[in-house]
Amino acid sequence: MKCVLFRNFIGMVAAVSILLLPGCNVNNSPLTEHGNNSFESVSSKTEEAIEAAKSSDGLAVIDKKESYYEVTLNLEKGSHYDVGKAYGKDILQIYPHFIEIVEMCLYKNVGVLIGNGANANILKERLEAVVPQIPKDYVDEINGFVDAVANGKTPFQAGGKLSREEIFALNLLPDIIRGTQCSGMAVLGSKSQTGSVITGRILEWFYGSEKQFATMHSVVTFKNFDKTITTIGFLGTFNVITAINDDGVFLGILDADTGEAFDATGKRCYTYEIRKVLEDFTTAEEVAEYTNSMANQYTFSHNLLITDRQNAFVAENCVSGGKSGIRTAQSKTGKRS
C-alpha cells in the first residue's frame, strides 16, 4: 500500500500534508506499482537531484533537490557517531557556506526568542543542564557531526565558525529556548476525502535576514531496520520537529511561548524523547499516551500533533501550572479525553 508525503517549503513556513494509507512504509526506493516509497513531491513529478554527496562508506547520502535536501543516514551500516561524522562531511561538500549560514541563523533565532540580553553564557548553562538527559545514541550522532564540522576548540560566540556548543544549541533550540507559534490540523472520517487521516502542519521559525535558513530545508531518513524514521527539518539537525515513522505515525511539535521559566533540573529534551518514541511505537495512540505520561519531565510545555491512518491526537504536555491531557476530534473546549 502507499504512504504519500506532500512537501511544499515556502520561506521558513514548511507546510506538510501527509496521506497515511494501510501498510505505510518509509524508505528511499523508487515509487513502484506496489507502493514501497514514502515520498512524492507536491508537484506532478518528483524533483530530480541537482547534485549529490555520498560518504565513501555509504553511511550518509545527500541529494540536493530544487527546494530541499533529501538525506539518508544509514544506521544499519555504522555507529551513530560514524553516521553523524559522515553527515557532517557530506554537508560541507554539498553546502560550502553551511558553517557561516547556520551560525548566523542560530544567533538570529536565539536573539529574537530569548531577547536582546541573549548571550553564549545563557545557552551554555542550559546545554550543560540538558545534554546529559539526551539518549546516548543521539549525543553520539551530534558529537560525530561536531568532529566533522567544528574547527577545534572554537569559542562559543558569533565569529563565522561553529563550536561544539553552537552545534548542540542548533539541535536543541525548542528544548532550551521558546519556539514560535507553530500550528497544525488533521481531518478524518467523513471529513476526509480519502477516508483516511490527512494531516497538515506549519512550522514558523525565523529564517534570517536573507531567508538563509530556508535554503537548508531537509528530509532526513534515519535508516535503522524497524526503527526507521524520516524527519522534516534542516540540514545538520538530529532531533524531531516533524517526522513520520515506518508504521505511518506522524508527529509534529507545536511550540509557543507558554510563559514559564526555563528549568532543566531532572528534565528531558522532548525533541529527542519523541524521536525515541517514534522509533519504538507503532500507533498514534501509543505515542500520544506515552509522551503525555512524561509531560512533567520536559523542559518546556508544548503540544504534539500525532496522527496515523485512523486516528489523530493532540498531546497537551504541561510542565507546570496547567493540566496535561490528550485531545481528540471529539474533545470539547476545556475538556480532554
Side-chain angles (χ1 to χ4, degrees), residues 78-332:
S79 69
H80 288 264
Y81 173 87
D82 289 339
V83 166
K85 190 171 184 177
Y87 185 27
K89 290 180 178 179
D90 278 2
I91 287 179
L92 294 183
Q93 176 184 335
I94 204 166
Y95 196 113
H97 299 292
F98 174 80
I99 291 175
E100 59 191 81
I101 295 298
V102 79
E103 190 195 44
M104 182 278 297
C105 291
L106 170 65
Y107 284 103
K108 174 66 176 179
N109 277 275
V110 169
V112 171
L113 298 175
I114 293 183
N116 294 330
N119 56 50
N121 289 333
I122 293 176
L123 291 181
K124 190 172 183 179
E125 290 174 0
R126 295 185 177 187
L127 287 173
E128 290 174 349
V130 300
V131 169
Q133 274 71 260
I134 302 174
K136 181 180 180 300
D137 285 345
Y138 309 147
V139 175
D140 286 348
E141 289 173 359
I142 303 173
N143 278 328
F145 190 86
V146 167
D147 287 346
V149 174
N151 298 314
K153 292 188 177 181
T154 302
F156 193 0
Q157 63 186 32
K161 296 181 179 180
L162 280 177
S163 67
R164 177 182 185 275
E165 293 84 358
E166 287 170 334
I167 291 172
F168 269 87
L170 176 71
N171 275 275
L172 286 162
L173 279 177
D175 298 286
I176 61 176
I177 61 176
R178 288 280 60 186
T180 50
Q181 296 184 15
C182 302
S183 59
M185 66 173 293
V187 294
L188 60 158
S190 62
K191 302 296 184 181
S192 168
Q193 184 177 12
T194 67
S196 298
V197 175
I198 300 176
T199 304
R201 73 97 87 240
I202 295 177
L203 172 67
E204 297 175 351
W205 278 15
F206 301 100
Y207 45 70
S209 58
E210 303 298 327
K211 301 181 176 62
Q212 294 93 332
F213 222 176
T215 66
M216 294 190 294
H217 289 141
S218 66
V219 175
V220 182
T221 296
F222 293 86
K223 190 176 180 182
N224 193 12
F225 301 103
D226 61 347
K227 292 181 177 293
T228 293
I229 68 168
T230 298
T231 65
I232 303 164
F234 307 96
L235 286 176
T237 56
F238 297 87
N239 58 358
V240 166
I241 301 171
T242 309
I244 182 171
N245 69 13
D246 57 358
D247 293 295
V249 180
F250 166 89
L251 188 150
I253 68 172
L254 305 180
D255 209 357
D257 187 356
T258 49
E260 66 223 18
F262 177 82
D263 178 15
T265 306
K267 301 292 186 178
R268 305 188 185 198
C269 298
Y270 79 93
T271 61
Y272 286 92
E273 290 298 317
I274 58 180
R275 176 176 162 184
K276 188 175 188 303
V277 171
L278 285 174
E279 291 173 346
D280 291 342
F281 292 115
T282 61
T283 70
E285 185 173 11
E286 290 174 318
V287 171
E289 289 178 349
Y290 183 81
T291 57
N292 198 238
S293 72
M294 304 272 289
N296 63 355
Q297 298 185 45
Y298 303 125
T299 53
F300 285 123
S301 300
H302 57 271
N303 291 334
L304 302 177
L305 175 61
I306 308 163
T307 67
D308 57 21
R309 177 180 178 266
Q310 296 178 325
N311 296 302
F313 306 93
V314 172
E316 297 182 339
N317 299 331
C318 299
V319 173
S320 61
K323 182 179 179 181
S324 295
I326 299 173
R327 291 192 183 274
T328 68
Q330 287 73 45
S331 297
K332 302 298 182 181

